[in-house]
Amino acid sequence: AQSVAQPEDQVNVAEGNPLTVKCTYSVSGNPYLFWYVQYPNRGLQFLLKYITGDNLVKGSYGFEAEFNKSQTSFHLKKPSALVSDSALYFCAVRDNTGKLIFGQGTTLQVKP
Amino acid sequence: IAGITQAPTSQILAAGRRMTLRCTQDMRHNAMYWYRQDLGLGLRLIHYSNTAGTTGKGEVPDGYSVSRANTDDFPLTLASAVPSQTSVYFCASSIGARDTQYFGPGTRLTVL
């Protein structure tokens, strides 16, 4: 069965430092992977996706994610964190029927 | 362009009452979805519709029903609300069933 794991409930980083939010997946066949961000009291916003091709995917707001097939990971990264990046981040994988399976979410806290 | 709108924004409901959450999109997307978001569980799919006139069950469909009479609207009905249905509900849509999903702002529902 397809699944997604976000091993960290919360990630704390200082403003200006690089950030990483971790995601691992389990899927049969080729993975289709997504990252979404949720700001307080808002809906989810699409950040980026991996379908095929280059393992480094660039997305909105300076975020990028690295697909690693051997480690079954799709970690979200940003070279220099902003306080405004503080939010809840969700990793998701598309299953064989096209439905999204979400991880439990990781809260990113960027401190000034 | 409004994208996806949901109504109401929030609602407090007595157990046993019937409630319909509304979702409308103006992007002419074929596929629409309903999710519930609960702390520590991420988002779970309740029902989906790949195209107008068709619906399907997601991961947690019990106690909920949907209809898709046209492309734009995808209402979610709780026939007899129970406290375990207290949650934040998100509607989403995508061009096709395997395309990127875009989310509405959510409805916060409390069942007492």
Side-chain angles (χ1 to χ4, degrees), chain A residues 89-112:
Chain A
Y89 290 81
F90 288 100
C91 181
V93 64
R94 198 175 74 192
D95 71 12
N96 295 333
T97 67
K99 308 299 174 292
L100 285 182
I101 300 169
F102 285 87
Q104 71 271 34
T106 298
T107 298
L108 174 66
Q109 190 73 253
V110 181
K111 298 190 175 180

PDB file of all heavy atoms in Angstrom, chain A residues 89-112:
ATOM      1  N   TYR A  89       3.683  22.064   6.687  1.00  0.00           N
ATOM      2  CA  TYR A  89       4.059  21.537   5.386  1.00  0.00           C
ATOM      3  C   TYR A  89       3.630  20.084   5.263  1.00  0.00           C
ATOM      4  O   TYR A  89       3.863  19.270   6.165  1.00  0.00           O
ATOM      5  CB  TYR A  89       5.570  21.663   5.179  1.00  0.00           C
ATOM      6  CG  TYR A  89       5.995  23.095   5.008  1.00  0.00           C
ATOM      7  CD1 TYR A  89       6.162  23.921   6.109  1.00  0.00           C
ATOM      8  CD2 TYR A  89       6.198  23.636   3.740  1.00  0.00           C
ATOM      9  CE1 TYR A  89       6.514  25.253   5.954  1.00  0.00           C
ATOM     10  CE2 TYR A  89       6.558  24.961   3.576  1.00  0.00           C
ATOM     11  CZ  TYR A  89       6.708  25.765   4.690  1.00  0.00           C
ATOM     12  OH  TYR A  89       7.056  27.085   4.534  1.00  0.00           O
ATOM     13  N   PHE A  90       3.014  19.771   4.116  1.00  0.00           N
ATOM     14  CA  PHE A  90       2.544  18.418   3.859  1.00  0.00           C
ATOM     15  C   PHE A  90       3.218  17.845   2.626  1.00  0.00           C
ATOM     16  O   PHE A  90       3.258  18.485   1.575  1.00  0.00           O
ATOM     17  CB  PHE A  90       1.032  18.400   3.624  1.00  0.00           C
ATOM     18  CG  PHE A  90       0.214  18.640   4.848  1.00  0.00           C
ATOM     19  CD1 PHE A  90      -0.323  19.892   5.100  1.00  0.00           C
ATOM     20  CD2 PHE A  90      -0.036  17.613   5.745  1.00  0.00           C
ATOM     21  CE1 PHE A  90      -1.093  20.120   6.235  1.00  0.00           C
ATOM     22  CE2 PHE A  90      -0.810  17.827   6.869  1.00  0.00           C
ATOM     23  CZ  PHE A  90      -1.329  19.092   7.118  1.00  0.00           C
ATOM     24  N   CYS A  91       3.688  16.624   2.774  1.00  0.00           N
ATOM     25  CA  CYS A  91       4.164  15.830   1.655  1.00  0.00           C
ATOM     26  C   CYS A  91       3.034  14.893   1.235  1.00  0.00           C
ATOM     27  O   CYS A  91       2.237  14.456   2.083  1.00  0.00           O
ATOM     28  CB  CYS A  91       5.389  15.035   2.097  1.00  0.00           C
ATOM     29  SG  CYS A  91       6.153  14.011   0.828  1.00  0.00           S
ATOM     30  N   ALA A  92       2.919  14.606  -0.049  1.00  0.00           N
ATOM     31  CA  ALA A  92       1.869  13.714  -0.516  1.00  0.00           C
ATOM     32  C   ALA A  92       2.369  12.884  -1.681  1.00  0.00           C
ATOM     33  O   ALA A  92       3.237  13.323  -2.444  1.00  0.00           O
ATOM     34  CB  ALA A  92       0.626  14.506  -0.929  1.00  0.00           C
ATOM     35  N   VAL A  93       1.832  11.691  -1.808  1.00  0.00           N
ATOM     36  CA  VAL A  93       2.135  10.816  -2.936  1.00  0.00           C
ATOM     37  C   VAL A  93       0.841  10.460  -3.639  1.00  0.00           C
ATOM     38  O   VAL A  93      -0.200  10.299  -2.989  1.00  0.00           O
ATOM     39  CB  VAL A  93       2.880   9.548  -2.463  1.00  0.00           C
ATOM     40  CG1 VAL A  93       2.014   8.689  -1.554  1.00  0.00           C
ATOM     41  CG2 VAL A  93       3.376   8.748  -3.655  1.00  0.00           C
ATOM     42  N   ARG A  94       0.882  10.363  -4.930  1.00  0.00           N
ATOM     43  CA  ARG A  94      -0.306   9.983  -5.681  1.00  0.00           C
ATOM     44  C   ARG A  94      -0.332   8.480  -5.833  1.00  0.00           C
ATOM     45  O   ARG A  94       0.661   7.878  -6.260  1.00  0.00           O
ATOM     46  CB  ARG A  94      -0.302  10.654  -7.055  1.00  0.00           C
ATOM     47  CG  ARG A  94      -1.643  10.678  -7.744  1.00  0.00           C
ATOM     48  CD  ARG A  94      -1.568  11.464  -9.014  1.00  0.00           C
ATOM     49  NE  ARG A  94      -0.858  10.739 -10.062  1.00  0.00           N
ATOM     50  CZ  ARG A  94      -0.451  11.296 -11.198  1.00  0.00           C
ATOM     51  NH1 ARG A  94      -0.654  12.580 -11.397  1.00  0.00           N
ATOM     52  NH2 ARG A  94       0.159  10.584 -12.096  1.00  0.00           N
ATOM     53  N   ASP A  95      -1.471   7.894  -5.468  1.00  0.00           N
ATOM     54  CA  ASP A  95      -1.545   6.439  -5.559  1.00  0.00           C
ATOM     55  C   ASP A  95      -1.930   6.001  -6.973  1.00  0.00           C
ATOM     56  O   ASP A  95      -2.082   6.827  -7.878  1.00  0.00           O
ATOM     57  CB  ASP A  95      -2.493   5.873  -4.497  1.00  0.00           C
ATOM     58  CG  ASP A  95      -3.966   6.174  -4.783  1.00  0.00           C
ATOM     59  OD1 ASP A  95      -4.309   6.618  -5.905  1.00  0.00           O
ATOM     60  OD2 ASP A  95      -4.778   5.952  -3.882  1.00  0.00           O
ATOM     61  N   ASN A  96      -2.075   4.707  -7.149  1.00  0.00           N
ATOM     62  CA  ASN A  96      -2.299   4.168  -8.482  1.00  0.00           C
ATOM     63  C   ASN A  96      -3.627   4.591  -9.108  1.00  0.00           C
ATOM     64  O   ASN A  96      -3.819   4.484 -10.312  1.00  0.00           O
ATOM     65  CB  ASN A  96      -2.211   2.637  -8.452  1.00  0.00           C
ATOM     66  CG  ASN A  96      -0.813   2.169  -8.091  1.00  0.00           C
ATOM     67  OD1 ASN A  96       0.164   2.867  -8.337  1.00  0.00           O
ATOM     68  ND2 ASN A  96      -0.716   1.004  -7.479  1.00  0.00           N
ATOM     69  N   THR A  97      -4.559   5.053  -8.268  1.00  0.00           N
ATOM     70  CA  THR A  97      -5.851   5.497  -8.794  1.00  0.00           C
ATOM     71  C   THR A  97      -5.871   7.007  -9.010  1.00  0.00           C
ATOM     72  O   THR A  97      -6.894   7.548  -9.442  1.00  0.00           O
ATOM     73  CB  THR A  97      -6.987   5.125  -7.834  1.00  0.00           C
ATOM     74  OG1 THR A  97      -6.869   5.880  -6.627  1.00  0.00           O
ATOM     75  CG2 THR A  97      -6.968   3.636  -7.522  1.00  0.00           C
ATOM     76  N   GLY A  98      -4.781   7.673  -8.714  1.00  0.00           N
ATOM     77  CA  GLY A  98      -4.721   9.118  -8.885  1.00  0.00           C
ATOM     78  C   GLY A  98      -5.009   9.911  -7.630  1.00  0.00           C
ATOM     79  O   GLY A  98      -4.931  11.140  -7.640  1.00  0.00           O
ATOM     80  N   LYS A  99      -5.344   9.236  -6.544  1.00  0.00           N
ATOM     81  CA  LYS A  99      -5.688   9.945  -5.312  1.00  0.00           C
ATOM     82  C   LYS A  99      -4.412  10.317  -4.551  1.00  0.00           C
ATOM     83  O   LYS A  99      -3.421   9.611  -4.590  1.00  0.00           O
ATOM     84  CB  LYS A  99      -6.575   9.090  -4.421  1.00  0.00           C
ATOM     85  CG  LYS A  99      -7.791   8.539  -5.132  1.00  0.00           C
ATOM     86  CD  LYS A  99      -8.690   9.642  -5.641  1.00  0.00           C
ATOM     87  CE  LYS A  99      -9.815   9.099  -6.478  1.00  0.00           C
ATOM     88  NZ  LYS A  99      -9.360   8.536  -7.757  1.00  0.00           N
ATOM     89  N   LEU A 100      -4.469  11.429  -3.824  1.00  0.00           N
ATOM     90  CA  LEU A 100      -3.339  11.861  -3.015  1.00  0.00           C
ATOM     91  C   LEU A 100      -3.407  11.241  -1.627  1.00  0.00           C
ATOM     92  O   LEU A 100      -4.457  11.227  -1.001  1.00  0.00           O
ATOM     93  CB  LEU A 100      -3.332  13.378  -2.881  1.00  0.00           C
ATOM     94  CG  LEU A 100      -2.880  14.187  -4.102  1.00  0.00           C
ATOM     95  CD1 LEU A 100      -2.889  15.671  -3.757  1.00  0.00           C
ATOM     96  CD2 LEU A 100      -1.514  13.757  -4.576  1.00  0.00           C
ATOM     97  N   ILE A 101      -2.259  10.755  -1.185  1.00  0.00           N
ATOM     98  CA  ILE A 101      -2.108  10.287   0.185  1.00  0.00           C
ATOM     99  C   ILE A 101      -1.145  11.242   0.874  1.00  0.00           C
ATOM    100  O   ILE A 101      -0.018  11.429   0.415  1.00  0.00           O
ATOM    101  CB  ILE A 101      -1.565   8.854   0.229  1.00  0.00           C
ATOM    102  CG1 ILE A 101      -2.526   7.914  -0.500  1.00  0.00           C
ATOM    103  CG2 ILE A 101      -1.347   8.399   1.662  1.00  0.00           C
ATOM    104  CD1 ILE A 101      -1.965   6.542  -0.728  1.00  0.00           C
ATOM    105  N   PHE A 102      -1.612  11.839   1.967  1.00  0.00           N
ATOM    106  CA  PHE A 102      -0.839  12.870   2.649  1.00  0.00           C
ATOM    107  C   PHE A 102      -0.093  12.310   3.852  1.00  0.00           C
ATOM    108  O   PHE A 102      -0.576  11.395   4.535  1.00  0.00           O
ATOM    109  CB  PHE A 102      -1.760  13.989   3.130  1.00  0.00           C
ATOM    110  CG  PHE A 102      -2.240  14.889   2.037  1.00  0.00           C
ATOM    111  CD1 PHE A 102      -3.377  14.580   1.313  1.00  0.00           C
ATOM    112  CD2 PHE A 102      -1.556  16.049   1.731  1.00  0.00           C
ATOM    113  CE1 PHE A 102      -3.827  15.402   0.290  1.00  0.00           C
ATOM    114  CE2 PHE A 102      -1.997  16.891   0.717  1.00  0.00           C
ATOM    115  CZ  PHE A 102      -3.131  16.570  -0.008  1.00  0.00           C
ATOM    116  N   GLY A 103       1.064  12.911   4.127  1.00  0.00           N
ATOM    117  CA  GLY A 103       1.720  12.694   5.401  1.00  0.00           C
ATOM    118  C   GLY A 103       0.992  13.468   6.489  1.00  0.00           C
ATOM    119  O   GLY A 103       0.049  14.213   6.220  1.00  0.00           O
ATOM    120  N   GLN A 104       1.439  13.306   7.723  1.00  0.00           N
ATOM    121  CA  GLN A 104       0.730  13.916   8.852  1.00  0.00           C
ATOM    122  C   GLN A 104       1.064  15.389   9.034  1.00  0.00           C
ATOM    123  O   GLN A 104       0.429  16.076   9.818  1.00  0.00           O
ATOM    124  CB  GLN A 104       1.013  13.148  10.153  1.00  0.00           C
ATOM    125  CG  GLN A 104       2.421  13.318  10.681  1.00  0.00           C
ATOM    126  CD  GLN A 104       3.391  12.288  10.119  1.00  0.00           C
ATOM    127  OE1 GLN A 104       3.292  11.853   8.972  1.00  0.00           O
ATOM    128  NE2 GLN A 104       4.338  11.895  10.944  1.00  0.00           N
ATOM    129  N   GLY A 105       2.052  15.870   8.284  1.00  0.00           N
ATOM    130  CA  GLY A 105       2.399  17.276   8.343  1.00  0.00           C
ATOM    131  C   GLY A 105       3.571  17.564   9.269  1.00  0.00           C
ATOM    132  O   GLY A 105       3.764  16.880  10.282  1.00  0.00           O
ATOM    133  N   THR A 106       4.349  18.587   8.916  1.00  0.00           N
ATOM    134  CA  THR A 106       5.473  19.051   9.730  1.00  0.00           C
ATOM    135  C   THR A 106       5.340  20.552   9.902  1.00  0.00           C
ATOM    136  O   THR A 106       5.202  21.281   8.915  1.00  0.00           O
ATOM    137  CB  THR A 106       6.822  18.744   9.059  1.00  0.00           C
ATOM    138  OG1 THR A 106       6.969  17.335   8.921  1.00  0.00           O
ATOM    139  CG2 THR A 106       7.974  19.306   9.887  1.00  0.00           C
ATOM    140  N   THR A 107       5.362  20.997  11.148  1.00  0.00           N
ATOM    141  CA  THR A 107       5.319  22.425  11.437  1.00  0.00           C
ATOM    142  C   THR A 107       6.720  22.996  11.353  1.00  0.00           C
ATOM    143  O   THR A 107       7.628  22.516  12.034  1.00  0.00           O
ATOM    144  CB  THR A 107       4.737  22.680  12.831  1.00  0.00           C
ATOM    145  OG1 THR A 107       3.390  22.189  12.873  1.00  0.00           O
ATOM    146  CG2 THR A 107       4.740  24.169  13.133  1.00  0.00           C
ATOM    147  N   LEU A 108       6.885  23.992  10.503  1.00  0.00           N
ATOM    148  CA  LEU A 108       8.177  24.683  10.385  1.00  0.00           C
ATOM    149  C   LEU A 108       8.099  25.985  11.156  1.00  0.00           C
ATOM    150  O   LEU A 108       7.190  26.798  10.933  1.00  0.00           O
ATOM    151  CB  LEU A 108       8.497  24.971   8.916  1.00  0.00           C
ATOM    152  CG  LEU A 108       9.747  25.820   8.657  1.00  0.00           C
ATOM    153  CD1 LEU A 108      11.001  25.073   9.087  1.00  0.00           C
ATOM    154  CD2 LEU A 108       9.838  26.215   7.189  1.00  0.00           C
ATOM    155  N   GLN A 109       9.017  26.159  12.062  1.00  0.00           N
ATOM    156  CA  GLN A 109       9.100  27.390  12.845  1.00  0.00           C
ATOM    157  C   GLN A 109      10.441  28.054  12.534  1.00  0.00           C
ATOM    158  O   GLN A 109      11.497  27.491  12.811  1.00  0.00           O
ATOM    159  CB  GLN A 109       9.002  27.062  14.336  1.00  0.00           C
ATOM    160  CG  GLN A 109       8.830  28.263  15.237  1.00  0.00           C
ATOM    161  CD  GLN A 109       7.453  28.858  15.154  1.00  0.00           C
ATOM    162  OE1 GLN A 109       7.276  29.922  14.581  1.00  0.00           O
ATOM    163  NE2 GLN A 109       6.472  28.153  15.685  1.00  0.00           N
ATOM    164  N   VAL A 110      10.374  29.246  11.936  1.00  0.00           N
ATOM    165  CA  VAL A 110      11.584  29.996  11.628  1.00  0.00           C
ATOM    166  C   VAL A 110      11.656  31.179  12.586  1.00  0.00           C
ATOM    167  O   VAL A 110      10.753  32.013  12.623  1.00  0.00           O
ATOM    168  CB  VAL A 110      11.583  30.494  10.166  1.00  0.00           C
ATOM    169  CG1 VAL A 110      12.884  31.250   9.870  1.00  0.00           C
ATOM    170  CG2 VAL A 110      11.411  29.338   9.197  1.00  0.00           C
ATOM    171  N   LYS A 111      12.737  31.231  13.344  1.00  0.00           N
ATOM    172  CA  LYS A 111      12.851  32.274  14.361  1.00  0.00           C
ATOM    173  C   LYS A 111      13.819  33.356  13.906  1.00  0.00           C
ATOM    174  O   LYS A 111      14.832  33.077  13.299  1.00  0.00           O
ATOM    175  CB  LYS A 111      13.291  31.645  15.677  1.00  0.00           C
ATOM    176  CG  LYS A 111      12.276  30.634  16.194  1.00  0.00           C
ATOM    177  CD  LYS A 111      12.549  30.178  17.598  1.00  0.00           C
ATOM    178  CE  LYS A 111      11.414  29.263  18.063  1.00  0.00           C
ATOM    179  NZ  LYS A 111      11.620  28.769  19.447  1.00  0.00           N
ATOM    180  N   PRO A 112      13.480  34.603  14.253  1.00  0.00           N
ATOM    181  CA  PRO A 112      14.332  35.726  13.815  1.00  0.00           C
ATOM    182  C   PRO A 112      15.717  35.671  14.450  1.00  0.00           C
ATOM    183  O   PRO A 112      15.894  35.127  15.538  1.00  0.00           O
ATOM    184  CB  PRO A 112      13.571  36.966  14.295  1.00  0.00           C
ATOM    185  CG  PRO A 112      12.232  36.509  14.695  1.00  0.00           C
ATOM    186  CD  PRO A 112      12.303  35.038  14.973  1.00  0.00           C
TER     187      PRO A 112
END
